[in-house]
């Protein structure tokens, strides 16, 4: 689906017209994937649009930059405010938000340290990443032949732009084979995560998700599911999972800011069927939280018109 444009993009401290948000072809990040980014969402609430867990996303952006020794020329508070401003000026009720920190134009070669650091923030309306049908009835997953990063090859804790070439390889393989999304294993063979989502199974009434040591990003939606599970009284555990654990799960689902909470319908053609009760309840509570319909989660919302 093509990106739906809005009016303004924040670039290095200024709000520029959408069409003018351009970079030079010799921008370092275009050549070497030298950037870090975030994916955030704003949802409509009774009090206007609200950004979900903005503080945590800004923190992860700065942590990603720190891992790559990229010095962001703004404070976290400035980036936080710039994100709120960008949502506000574009007058959108609901949107995806993409802050990007990237090494810019000026130097080439693999030593990134002398490069200028640029920052942009774009927002646009974006429907459910894995589709409405997937949200309701579940998605069909394939375990990828491509492995997730080893933490000493590319650190999964950082949302580095270049590392998503690995996700793309797996995503394309899954789509070409007729599936919706790929599940990636760690180099050691444990279940890691999906191309842009964390993964969970439900077994005997417990929710289980793989640890970061299996190469998964510490997802903010994953953390929201943890809190929701605690509030619902559903045991939540972080444990290594084998591929066969996916096949025999009572229920399974994936989470991510773009994807939201999406049931898994089948893994490698082993049918799990229609979404189960725990997945449904987590999904329902998550949507109530992001739309400001559940007071327990109000601290997660940053109201844009406040
Ligand atoms: N894993 C990867 C590789 C991702 O790119 C994402 C999306 N940021 C996630 C997991 C889910 O993270 P979050 O819930 O914070 O969006």
């Amino acid at each position: 689906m093509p990106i739906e444009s809005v009016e303004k993009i924040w670039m290095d401290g200024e709000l520029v017209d959408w069409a003018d948000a351009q970079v030079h072809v010799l921008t370092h990040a275009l050549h070497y994937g030298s950037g870090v980014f975030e994916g955030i969402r704003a949802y409509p609430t009774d009090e206007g649009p609200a950004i979900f867990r903005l503080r945590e996303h800004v923190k992860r952006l700065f942590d990603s930059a720190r891992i790559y020794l990229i010095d962001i020329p703004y404070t976290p508070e400035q980036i936080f405010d710039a994100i709120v401003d960008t949502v506000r000026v574009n007058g959108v009720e609901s949107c995806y938000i993409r802050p990007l920190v990237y090494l810019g134009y000026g130097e080439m070669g693999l030593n990134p340290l002398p490069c200028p650091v640029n920052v942009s923030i774009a927002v646009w309306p974006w429907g459910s990443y894995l589709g409405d049908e997937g949200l309701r009835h579940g998605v069909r997953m394939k375990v990828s032949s491509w492995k997730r990063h080893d933490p000493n090859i590319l650190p999964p804790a950082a949302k580095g732009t270049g590392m998503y070439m690995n996700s793309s390889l797996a995503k394309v393989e899954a789509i070409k084979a007729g599936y919706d999304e790929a599940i990636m294993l760690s180099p050691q063979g444990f279940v890691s995560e999906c191309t842009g989502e964390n993964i969970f199974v439900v077994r005997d009434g417990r929710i289980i998700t793989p640890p970061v040591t299996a190469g998964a990003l510490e997802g903010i939606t994953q953390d929201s599911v943890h809190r929701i599970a605690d509030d619902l009284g559903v045991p939540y555990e972080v444990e290594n999972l084998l591929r066969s654990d996916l096949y025999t799960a009572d229920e399974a689902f994936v989470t991510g800011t773009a994807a939201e909470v999406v049931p898994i319908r089948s893994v490698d053609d082993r049918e799990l069927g229609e979404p189960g009760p725990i997945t449904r309840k987590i999904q329902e509570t998550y949507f109530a939280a992001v739309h400001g319909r559940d007071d327990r989660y109000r601290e997660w919302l940053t109201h844009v018109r406040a």
Side-chain angles (χ1 to χ4, degrees):
M1 218 196 324
I3 297 174
E4 189 180 330
S5 61
V6 296
E7 240 175 273
K8 298 282 185 190
I9 290 182
W10 190 97
M11 273 186 103
D12 302 313
E14 316 234 339
L15 284 159
V16 303
D17 286 343
W18 180 275
D20 295 335
Q22 310 276 357
V23 295
H24 196 279
V25 290
L26 293 181
T27 295
H28 194 273
L30 276 180
H31 298 254
Y32 303 121
S34 46
V36 295
F37 69 102
E38 269 304 314
I40 314 172
R41 271 190 192 272
Y43 289 91
T45 74
D46 285 347
E47 296 152 70
I51 304 172
F52 190 64
R53 303 200 69 175
L54 179 55
R55 210 157 289 288
E56 292 83 349
H57 282 284
V58 171
K59 167 145 193 349
R60 193 171 63 186
L61 182 69
F62 277 77
D63 286 348
S64 294
R66 182 183 177 83
I67 289 170
Y68 281 105
L69 284 172
I70 297 174
D71 215 355
I72 301 180
Y74 300 95
T75 63
E77 292 70 29
Q78 285 172 318
I79 296 297
F80 183 101
D81 291 344
I83 291 171
V84 175
D85 283 347
T86 311
V87 175
R88 189 186 293 125
V89 299
N90 283 298
V92 282
E93 281 297 306
S94 150
C95 63
Y96 182 77
I97 305 164
R98 171 54 59 81
L100 172 68
V101 175
Y102 60 99
L103 299 188
Y105 168 84
E107 297 274 343
M108 202 44 83
L110 285 168
N111 173 12
L113 296 175
C115 282
V117 178
N118 296 106
V119 183
S120 64
I121 302 163
V123 311
W124 66 91
W126 206 13
S128 180
Y129 177 65
L130 294 174
D132 289 338
E133 178 71 12
L135 261 189
R136 272 197 292 274
H137 298 293
V139 286
R140 298 181 62 245
M141 310 289 288
K142 181 188 190 310
V143 174
S144 184
S145 69
W146 297 98
K147 298 284 181 288
R148 204 42 160 164
H149 311 290
D150 177 291
N152 290 310
I153 295 178
L154 280 171
K159 271 183 81 70
T161 57
M163 67 196 284
Y164 281 82
M165 292 295 272
N166 171 244
S167 284
S168 292
L169 285 168
K171 183 86 186 178
V172 167
E173 180 185 66
I175 287 173
K176 281 193 170 290
Y179 297 84
D180 299 309
E181 173 60 311
I183 296 167
M184 305 186 73
L185 306 180
S186 68
Q188 292 72 32
F190 295 111
V191 175
S192 176
E193 59 175 348
C194 308
T195 64
E197 303 88 15
N198 292 106
I199 189 163
F200 301 73
V201 300
V202 177
R203 189 195 291 146
D204 300 329
R206 297 178 306 141
I207 293 177
I208 311 166
T209 192
V212 289
T213 47
L217 178 74
E218 271 189 88
I220 291 166
T221 321
Q222 183 185 44
D223 181 68
S224 307
V225 166
H226 189 173
R227 166 80 190 278
I228 289 169
D230 285 352
D231 291 347
L232 294 172
V234 179
Y236 180 102
E237 277 149 36
V238 178
E239 275 172 26
N240 269 319
L241 293 170
L242 297 170
R243 179 175 185 158
S244 52
D245 292 325
L246 304 171
Y247 300 164
T248 58
D250 298 328
E251 304 177 31
F253 60 94
V254 303
T255 67
T257 299
E260 304 169 307
V261 177
V262 180
I264 295 179
R265 203 183 163 80
S266 67
V267 180
D268 292 341
D269 303 316
R270 276 77 170 177
E271 294 295 325
L272 302 183
E274 282 291 317
I278 291 180
T279 305
R280 277 280 174 247
K281 194 68 199 156
I282 297 277
Q283 193 189 43
E284 200 181 292
T285 312
Y286 179 75
F287 280 118
V290 299
H291 287 102
R293 294 194 304 259
D294 191 326
D295 282 343
R296 290 176 293 185
Y297 310 114
R298 284 190 82 79
E299 90 249 17
W300 284 346
L301 304 182
T302 298
H303 288 279
V304 169
R305 292 195 196 124

